Structure formats: C-alpha cells, structure tokens
Amino acid sequence: MNILITGCNGQLGNELQLLEAKYQQHTFFNTDVNELDITNQLAVDDYVFRNQIDCVINCAAYTAVDKAEEQKELCTTLNTVAPSYLAAAVEKRGGCMIQISTDYVFDGTHSTPYVETDTPAPNSVYGCTKLAGELGVTKFCKKSIVIRTAWLYSTFGNNFVKTMLRLGRERKELGVVADQIGSPTYAADLAAAIMTIVEKGVKPGVYHYTNEGVASWYDFTKAIHRMAGIKDCNVKPIHTSDYPTAATRPAYSVLDKKKITDDYQLTIPHWEEALQRCMDSLLNQ
C-alpha cells in the first residue's frame, strides 16, 4: 500500500517512521505542514490522487490544550476540518484512514474505564474539536478507524516525561497533580499497534488504546524520577484546584482496551514497563 502519514514530525509520527523499515512492502509518504497543508482541501485531494494513497494515518493535530481555549478557530481547522478533507480524499480512492483521537472527548466523571460506546461529553475546546474530527472522518471515509489515546509521551518532541526530568534536575521541590487519573501511553507502543491494524486490515469503528494500568500525574512523576535516579527533588501531591488551567481536564480518563485487544490480538504493555523502555532510550541519548 501507499501510506500517507501526516504530522510526521510529532511524537507518534516519528515513532511510526522508526517502524517503516520493518514494513518495506509498503511505500510511506511522511508529511508535515511543509510537505502538505492538510487544511487546504485542494492540496489534500491533489496529494492523495497524485501519490495514489491507499491509507491515511493522521497524526497531525492541534494539541496545545490550554491555548485552544483562545485559538478556537485554528484548533477547529486542524482537528475537525482537516481530518474530514483527508477522509474524503482517501475515500475517493477506496482507501482507509486511521484517525488519532483523545480521552478528552470524555468529561472524566466516570469511576470505571470508558468503553467505546460511552457517550462523549467533552468540556474543552480541544476535546470538542477532536470529537467533531472523529465524526467527520467516520462520515466521509467508510473504511475508517478512530483510535482514542491518552497521556502520550516518547523520546521525541516535548512531553510530560521530558518536562518532569528537566524540572526534577532543576528544582528541589515540585508540586504535581494527584487527583487526575489516567494511563500514560508510550507513543512507540501506539505506533506498533497502528501498524498491526494496517497489516491485519481496518475494521471500521472507534477503538481505545493506552498502555495498561492507571496512575495519577503524581504517580507518573515519581516513577520517572525513580527510573532516572533523581533523588534530590521532593515531589508533593497537589489538587487540580491548586494548579488552575484555562482548559478543564478530565479527572478520570482511563480507557477500556478490550475491543482493540480482542479484534487485533494485541498484547498491551503495562505503563511502567513501557516508561522504562522510553527512559532507557532517553538516558542513552
């Protein structure tokens, strides 16, 4: 297949590129904004037609959650409009699409893991635009999959793991939110799952994927510091109310993964094991 990867310079896009050597039977077209402006419908149609794209993996998104509250128009263009353009273009070729979405489509009021059939109720601009993007992709491309993920990190780009490593080395004390619960997700594991789906064939619908297990941001930070051997920084648990942000975060956004493990025979690593692999890579850089 000819596979288009958008947002190739991001965390997930970079992780997918690392896997391409394993899948030499496919031809990959790695694009970011300089190679393809996905907000330009004519450009998208032309690129997909000219390169005979069979599958789109859309990793491009507006992800600055707090800034999105002010930059609603830009966020909507990237997270809602552009995915629809990609979906419509690849549909004309009879192709498939994998759209990456987020736990922020839920309001976080559950006390048990969210399943794919739970009714979304986003309470941020980011969450609303990502949900609208899901609906657009499934509307315009019959063979499309939406994968909701959460708390993504990798050795690439800016992310929570790198920030906590830096702050742990710079500061004697750190307050980290302890009343938001989710599942940290190593982008390398998500990338591997995506390529398994490509190989086994797209079964249209919504899927959830994160690493196994649950943690608070505080637990996550403590694990990062322990694995990095950071001992001189006192990490204190704080409440969400102690750290006000422009966008509301879900207090509980654990995603149930039974559907994706059943349909694609995936074995999902625990978040601490995944974090250790990422930390080993980071500390060896």
Side-chain angles (χ1 to χ4, degrees):
M1 288 198 292
N2 290 339
I3 300 173
L4 168 61
I5 296 175
T6 60
C8 74
N9 293 336
Q11 297 187 88
L12 185 56
N14 269 298
E15 295 289 1
L16 281 164
Q17 287 182 78
L18 291 183
L19 295 176
E20 288 173 10
K22 273 176 67 179
Y23 296 95
Q24 292 181 352
Q25 70 272 33
H26 303 303
T27 304
F28 293 90
F29 295 81
N30 301 307
T31 68
D32 217 291
V33 64
N34 291 334
E35 294 78 31
L36 173 63
D37 177 5
I38 60 169
T39 68
N40 180 331
Q41 189 171 15
L42 290 174
V44 168
D45 284 349
D46 176 65
Y47 194 97
V48 168
F49 179 76
R50 193 161 28 91
N51 295 297
Q52 300 186 310
I53 300 299
D54 304 302
C55 177
V56 173
I57 304 172
N58 182 30
C59 306
Y62 183 108
T63 56
V65 175
D66 290 317
K67 278 189 190 166
E69 295 297 311
E70 293 171 10
Q71 300 188 326
K72 187 174 179 181
E73 196 175 325
L74 177 60
C75 189
T76 302
T77 303
L78 272 168
N79 292 350
T80 303
V81 180
S84 295
Y85 291 163
L86 290 162
V90 79
E91 173 68 20
K92 286 179 202 156
R93 290 209 18 89
C96 61
M97 178 159 171
I98 298 172
Q99 167 72 5
I100 309 304
S101 193
T102 173
D103 58 323
Y104 278 70
V105 301
F106 298 114
D107 61 10
T109 56
H110 266 214
S111 55
T112 54
Y114 283 93
V115 294
E116 289 81 356
T117 50
D118 283 328
T119 304
N123 50 18
S124 65
V125 168
Y126 171 69
C128 289
T129 60
K130 290 297 285 183
L131 177 60
E134 292 183 9
L135 298 171
V137 167
T138 51
K139 177 183 173 184
F140 290 110
C141 181
K142 287 195 286 288
K143 287 191 283 188
S144 62
I145 277 184
V146 169
I147 302 176
R148 295 179 183 142
T149 190
W151 296 29
L152 208 62
Y153 66 89
S154 85
T155 58
F156 298 99
N158 297 316
N159 54 62
F160 186 80
V161 172
K162 289 184 177 180
T163 301
M164 291 304 110
L165 278 174
R166 177 174 57 78
L167 293 177
R169 289 165 179 150
E170 287 174 1
R171 297 187 186 175
K172 289 276 179 252
E173 194 170 271
L174 202 53
V176 182
V177 171
D179 58 353
Q180 290 173 22
I181 308 297
S183 302
T185 307
Y186 187 16
D189 290 343
L190 176 55
I194 289 168
M195 288 312 300
T196 298
I197 289 169
V198 169
E199 287 301 284
K200 293 190 173 180
V202 162
K203 297 174 184 174
V206 177
Y207 288 89
H208 289 170
Y209 184 97
T210 62
N211 280 118
E212 291 288 9
V214 302
S216 67
W217 293 108
Y218 168 76
D219 300 326
F220 192 15
T221 304
K222 293 288 280 184
I224 293 163
H225 286 190
R226 184 182 74 245
M227 291 176 191
I230 295 171
K231 297 187 175 111
D232 298 332
C233 179
N234 178 30
V235 181
K236 296 195 311 180
I238 63 170
H239 282 261
T240 297
S241 56
D242 298 328
Y243 187 75
T245 54
T248 305
R249 267 90 173 144
Y252 181 92
S253 66
V254 179
L255 303 176
D256 186 287
K257 276 98 48 191
K258 188 177 188 306
K259 184 181 174 187
I260 202 166
T261 54
D262 286 355
D263 282 7
Y264 288 100
Q265 294 78 56
L266 290 177
T267 304
I268 302 178
H270 189 272
W271 73 264
E272 287 200 57
E273 186 262 297
L275 177 62
Q276 186 66 66
R277 278 185 283 121
C278 181
M279 294 292 290
D280 291 343
S281 295
L282 276 173
L283 299 171
N284 286 330
Q285 280 180 359

